[in-house]
Amino acid sequence: MTSPADSAPVVPDYAPIPRTALGPALNDQGYFVGRVERNLYYVTDGVYQAAFLTTADGVIMFDAPPSIGGNLQRAVDEIAAANGVSNTVTHLVYSHHHADHGSASSLFGGDVIRIGHEDTRRLLQRDGDPSRPLPEVTFTDRYTLAVGGERVELAWHGPNHTPDNIYIHFPDHDTLMFIDVVNAGWVPIYNLNLSEDVIGYMGAPAIALDYPWTHLISGHLGRLATRDDVAVHQQYIADIEASSREALASVDPVPYYVAGGANFWAGVKGHLDAVTERAAAPVIAKYTGVLAAADIEAFTMTTTFQIMQSLRLDRGPSGPVHP
Ligand SMILES: [Zn+2]
């Protein structure tokens, strides 16, 4: 073990974060709660986001990130007191099964009605985490949640970030909640925001834009997203795809395999690293100063690697056919 002084991390000299990427200031307890529209609110700790809807019959919570944790109920209490409505959370909707968006669920006890996609239930059953109780109400494609005169439309349009990640539409609040695909004003972190289905992830923003909405609750960072944020994200991904195609076509693999000799995997690494670096470099240059953290090269590099692999393996061809 080294002392903290010896091991203090050194942060590279990254480009400044664009002001538009930053969210509102947090209160003394470390959260911000803001009105999205009317009785729909979102809560953030600056990095994670959840949402809640106050109704005549209680509160519907959407996601429960552990990093916000006890501040979820504090935010509800604050708003309920200000508006003279119930602060009892009666329903909790899971956007997807991931712990970082759901494992404050158990704080709401055993009486809250949990709702999620059938695959969310299956994956939570698999993972066996007591902090994320299984949803007892599940659906396959669509579910209308009607509570206290309010209506929310839940829909599954195929796998993307995870197999179970759903679209949560608030038709009476001009809002969509769709988690872990678009980061408003920021690049995705490693591997397309740690996503499992590359083609599904790449197509998801267009599905999100098919809904009518003005406000997007994206699950991360401090502020709500706009339709323009989604368009910039789509362009970033499209640029990576185009650049990957160009690099796959133009980097000659032969010298890397010759250099690798009998170590075929050394040849594979040399070739694919060269393609990734060639594809990612112009995208990193283009988006530095536009999307926050675009110059954290590992993020764009790993996302490029995933997209480049998907171009080979999902779209094909993976290579020439032996004559
Ligand atoms: Zn996730």
Side-chain angles (χ1 to χ4, degrees), residues 118-188:
E118 62 184 12
D119 275 343
T120 301
R121 182 180 169 90
R122 175 180 64 80
L123 292 163
L124 289 177
Q125 209 151 23
R126 177 196 71 178
D127 298 336
D129 175 2
S131 72
R132 285 169 287 160
L134 303 184
E136 52 268 33
V137 177
T138 62
F139 66 97
T140 304
D141 291 324
R142 284 172 190 285
Y143 183 81
T144 300
L145 177 61
V147 178
E150 304 294 333
R151 179 171 61 109
V152 186
E153 299 289 348
L154 314 182
W156 182 81
H157 297 294
N160 46 69
H161 167 66
T162 54
D164 62 327
N165 198 29
I166 61 168
Y167 299 72
I168 301 167
H169 189 223
F170 301 86
D172 302 323
H173 299 81
D174 205 12
T175 297
L176 183 73
M177 182 169 180
F178 181 54
I179 304 300
D180 278 352
V181 172
V182 175
N183 296 333
W186 295 68
V187 294

Side-chain angles (χ1 to χ4, degrees), residues 5-27:
D6 292 335
S7 62
V10 177
V11 177
D13 197 13
Y14 291 124
I17 298 301
R19 285 195 62 80
T20 51
L22 297 172
L26 306 181
N27 64 16

